[in-house]
Amino acid sequence: IPSNIENIRNNKKESGFYNDTSLSAEFQRGNVKTSSFQLVNRLDYHHNNSHTFLQLSGQIAEQNKEIFKNEAFSHLRFTDMFYGNIGYELFTQAQYNEFKNLKLRQLNGVGGRFELRNHKGNRLTVGLGVMTDYEIVEPNQTDFTLRSTSYIAYNNTGKLIETNAVAYFQPSIQDTNDYRILTEASISSKLTNKLRLEVSINFNYDTLPPEGILKNDLIIKNVLKYIW
């Protein structure tokens, strides 16, 4: 379930609709029996300098007939780069995660966006905005917070290596002790014409998580891709 919106953007330039749907299933049988299913649907619309996209995803997994992952995510975003590398964006997001005691997290926001590119394939993006944050957590506790949201993202696409890094900072406007930090960095190396190695690190920190949930999450992934 993505938290890094920069990483799931579609950067196509031609106007029109684009759709991508994937369904994955993973099974392990032996000393441990696990099953995992994930569905991701992505719809993009590009028109001149504007880009609208909707991403829906859900994942459920069980081990020895006990569910240990059950989460869903949706994100709708409109971006209009009306003045070259300067623009604005509107977004709404809904999220559910049973094992973080999160029944619903609903975000609605607006902000500015600035993009800087050069001929060497480097792209630096900065965003700043505000959003509402409505949560329902176990056991039926609700919270409404007005937050500032800012991010800085870097991307470099070379012939052999692609590098991505992004950091989000989302403090409460009413309470300086309430803030979230989300960071992600990845490197993808081209080993051969058909083989790529991807390494990513994802770190999330929440000063006021739901009761019984740790403040920080760290995920490290190593993926070997065969493209044909």
Side-chain angles (χ1 to χ4, degrees):
I1 303 298
S3 59
N4 177 6
I5 301 305
E6 288 302 301
N7 194 43
I8 65 173
R9 283 182 185 267
N10 177 318
N11 292 314
K12 295 183 180 294
K13 299 300 182 182
E14 298 81 9
S15 294
F17 284 97
Y18 300 86
N19 186 72
D20 187 358
T21 302
S22 65
L23 174 64
S24 62
E26 181 179 327
F27 303 95
Q28 179 180 339
R29 295 295 183 266
N31 294 318
V32 177
K33 295 182 180 180
T34 63
S35 303
S36 177
F37 302 90
Q38 184 174 26
L39 175 65
V40 179
N41 185 75
R42 172 64 179 267
L43 179 64
D44 291 83
Y45 177 68
H46 289 266
H47 179 68
N48 297 330
N49 295 321
S50 69
H51 174 208
T52 304
F53 74 85
L54 171 66
Q55 174 135 334
L56 306 171
S57 58
Q59 185 175 13
I60 188 168
E62 65 174 21
Q63 178 175 306
N64 297 327
K65 297 185 178 181
E66 289 191 8
I67 295 176
F68 67 89
K69 181 175 288 187
N70 183 12
E71 53 186 321
F73 173 90
S74 66
H75 188 95
L76 175 63
R77 181 171 294 242
F78 171 79
T79 303
D80 186 6
M81 304 303 292
F82 63 90
Y83 191 72
N85 58 349
I86 300 175
Y88 70 94
E89 47 193 359
L90 309 169
F91 66 88
T92 182
Q93 176 177 306
Q95 194 171 358
Y96 162 80
N97 191 322
E98 178 181 355
F99 291 89
K100 287 188 175 181
N101 294 337
L102 184 63
K103 286 188 173 183
L104 174 67
R105 174 176 291 150
Q106 172 68 55
L107 309 178
N108 299 288
V110 58
R113 180 178 174 87
F114 175 77
E115 296 179 354
L116 181 64
R117 305 169 185 257
N118 68 12
H119 65 281
K120 295 182 179 180
N122 296 295
R123 184 176 78 241
L124 183 69
T125 306
V126 177
L128 180 63
V130 293
M131 68 181 186
T132 59
D133 180 356
Y134 175 71
E135 289 186 341
I136 305 176
V137 299
E138 297 286 358
N140 292 320
Q141 297 178 341
T142 63
D143 182 64
F144 179 86
T145 306
L146 182 63
R147 295 184 182 275
S148 167
T149 176
S150 57
Y151 61 87
I152 181 170
Y154 170 77
N155 169 265
N156 177 268
T157 304
K159 292 182 179 180
L160 298 178
I161 296 177
E162 181 176 353
T163 305
N164 291 281
V166 64
Y168 293 83
F169 182 53
Q170 298 173 337
S172 166
I173 293 177
Q174 300 105 317
D175 182 1
T176 57
N177 294 317
D178 178 7
Y179 60 87
R180 299 190 186 116
I181 299 174
L182 304 90
T183 63
E184 184 174 307
S186 65
I187 297 178
S188 177
S189 303
K190 184 178 180 181
L191 303 179
T192 68
N193 288 333
K194 295 185 177 181
L195 201 61
R196 296 188 72 91
L197 175 64
E198 295 183 2
V199 180
S200 68
I201 298 176
N202 186 304
F203 178 75
N204 296 337
Y205 183 80
D206 187 349
T207 58
L208 296 175
E211 185 176 351
I213 303 300
L214 295 177
K215 291 185 177 182
N216 56 278
D217 274 322
L218 175 65
I219 301 173
I220 301 175
K221 290 183 180 181
N222 295 282
V223 180
L224 190 63
K225 283 188 175 182
Y226 180 73
I227 304 170
W228 56 281

